[in-house]
Amino acid sequence: MRGIRKILLLAAVLLLSAPVPAAAQHADAAETEDFDLNEYIFGHIGDAYEWHITTVNDHHISIPLPCIVFDGGVHVFLSPRMEENGYTLNENGKLVNATTGKRPIDISITKNVLSLLLSSILLVALILATARWYKRHDALKEAPRGFPGLMEMLITMVTDDIIKEGVGKDWEKYAPYLLTAFFFIFLNNLLGIVPFFPGGANVTGNIAVTLVLAVCTFLAVNLFGNKHYYKDIFWPDVPTWLKVPVPLMPLIEIIGIFTKPFSLMIRLFANILAGHIMILGVVAVIFITAKLGPAINGSMSVISVLFGVFMDVLELLVAFIQAYVFTMLSSVFIGLSRQEPEHEKQLETTK
């Protein structure tokens, strides 16, 4: 019961500390301005050249981020000085040249990039802290407790239940990548639920990030696949007329090479993005009903808070499930690329 109470309390704190739109900071502003739901939701799930913290008395408190562009030379400046340096944002929120309207080569440290760097540093610190405990203690005589114990439980679960079962033979070669992918996704999913700095960025709900993760799995599958894997692609065990003169089955198999990582990319991106939108939508009900009177607004606010707590608890579960599913499917895809013919398996078992 204590564990459930702690989870519910955490979810309530996360919900009640969710970002409040500037128009809802004061009653007068709420009465005179229409609440822009699209701006509220997409402003929080989208990337930005500054990290907005909160709004006090119509004054936005943000962390300025460095803009780095290649446009006839290298230009480095902070986001508040964007216009001074001849740049502005287009309708999609992308940095463009204010004179020509063209997009330069942009490698700026945006909100998602900074969150990615912070989460990577945090992940390294957590792993090193766990390794430090094992360096100072004999794990054969003393069981780890607290955070090292939690990490051992997660690492053992991922290794035994996912990697060994999915990859099979030579699973040790792929364990570092798969464990890194699991904890990277899980940590960023959790940080995405936290609505205040350094959380709140939509990292794993950004398709560029999930694309890179999917490409890593794609390379692990196809660079280290064995001969039997490629034989099943280009000359599968099907009737000859399905292979020549029209290579129907090889074409389907080649398409399958790309659809597998594509499904990994879309699944993680869509689930995390949808979760963020749903939570923000639930919170927005409070401000949407602000003009409908205290009775309706009060009752809908209570419903919004209760349902929001439920959604936060659900998102904690989704954060783990999506990391689990991505790692499991990656393990299965790698294992399928290293399968051996049946007659070779029988020879190994007889030996």
Side-chain angles (χ1 to χ4, degrees):
M1 290 298 293
R2 289 183 178 179
I4 296 175
R5 290 177 181 175
K6 289 181 179 179
I7 292 176
L8 292 176
L9 180 59
L10 174 62
V13 170
L14 294 178
L15 177 69
L16 295 176
S17 58
V20 178
Q25 292 287 334
H26 307 284
D28 294 338
E31 291 177 0
T32 57
E33 296 183 19
D34 292 330
F35 177 65
D36 191 341
L37 182 60
N38 288 335
E39 182 181 355
Y40 173 59
I41 292 180
F42 291 101
H44 285 98
I45 65 175
D47 204 358
Y49 290 91
E50 62 180 10
W51 198 315
H52 182 265
I53 304 299
T54 186
T55 302
V56 179
N57 295 328
D58 294 331
H59 176 68
H60 299 287
I61 300 176
S62 304
I63 298 177
L65 300 176
C67 298
I68 307 171
V69 296
F70 292 88
D71 188 16
V74 182
H75 303 274
V76 182
F77 49 89
L78 291 177
S79 53
R81 298 182 176 274
M82 188 179 297
E83 294 183 0
E84 298 177 12
N85 287 270
Y87 294 93
T88 185
L89 300 179
N90 61 13
E91 62 276 5
N92 297 320
K94 301 299 183 181
L95 189 146
V96 296
N97 190 301
T99 304
T100 62
K102 296 181 179 180
R103 287 194 61 190
I105 299 176
D106 188 1
I107 58 170
S108 302
I109 307 298
T110 61
K111 177 181 177 181
N112 283 345
V113 173
L114 179 58
S115 179
L116 193 62
L117 294 174
L118 293 176
S119 64
S120 298
I121 294 172
L122 178 59
L123 179 59
V124 171
L126 295 177
I127 297 301
L128 291 179
T130 305
R132 185 181 182 184
W133 185 94
Y134 283 93
K135 188 176 181 181
R136 296 185 174 184
H137 300 80
D138 187 354
L140 298 177
K141 298 180 181 179
E142 181 182 357
R145 297 180 180 180
F147 179 74
L150 175 63
M151 291 295 292
E152 179 180 312
M153 179 190 69
L154 289 174
I155 293 172
T156 303
M157 179 207 67
V158 174
T159 302
D160 295 341
D161 297 342
I162 302 178
I163 301 177
K164 288 183 180 179
E165 294 293 330
V167 178
K169 184 180 178 181
D170 297 331
W171 61 269
E172 298 92 343
K173 297 179 181 179
Y174 304 94
Y177 162 65
L178 293 171
L179 284 168
T180 301
F182 173 83
F183 283 102
F184 174 81
I185 295 172
F186 186 37
L187 179 61
N188 279 284
N189 288 351
L190 292 178
L191 289 176
I193 301 174
V194 180
F196 46 82
F197 183 83
N202 187 32
V203 175
T204 44
N206 187 311
I207 197 168
V209 176
T210 60
L211 171 63
V212 172
L213 292 171
V215 167
C216 290
T217 297
F218 173 81
L219 294 176
V221 170
N222 293 282
L223 290 181
F224 304 106
N226 56 21
K227 295 180 180 179
H228 182 68
Y229 168 70
Y230 284 103
K231 177 185 176 298
D232 280 345
I233 293 175
F234 295 104
W235 197 258
D237 294 329
V238 296
T240 306
W241 62 272
L242 291 174
K243 297 179 286 188
V244 290
V246 179
L248 180 61
M249 288 305 299
L251 182 61
I252 293 175
E253 292 292 337
I254 291 173
I255 294 174
I257 293 176
F258 297 96
T259 55
K260 290 175 182 177
F262 181 79
S263 66
L264 287 177
M265 175 185 70
I266 296 299
R267 179 182 289 105
L268 179 59
F269 158 73
N271 280 283
I272 300 303
L273 181 66
H276 289 179
I277 292 176
M278 290 179 66
I279 291 178
L280 289 169
V282 169
V283 175
V285 170
I286 300 173
F287 310 109
I288 292 174
T289 59
K291 294 183 179 181
L292 301 180
I296 296 178
N297 182 236
S299 58
M300 291 304 297
S301 296
V302 172
I303 296 175
S304 176
V305 170
L306 294 177
F307 192 69
V309 170
F310 169 76
M311 288 298 302
D312 273 330
V313 174
L314 184 63
E315 280 301 301
L316 290 174
L317 179 62
V318 170
F320 173 81
I321 291 177
Q322 290 305 314
Y324 185 96
V325 170
F326 186 96
T327 310
M328 179 189 67
L329 291 177
S330 297
S331 300
V332 171
F333 294 156
I334 293 173
L336 291 174
S337 71
R338 300 186 60 79
Q339 279 190 336
E340 298 176 353
E342 290 297 328
H343 67 277
E344 293 185 8
K345 290 183 180 179
Q346 292 176 0
L347 288 175
E348 289 185 359
T349 55
T350 53
K351 291 179 181 180

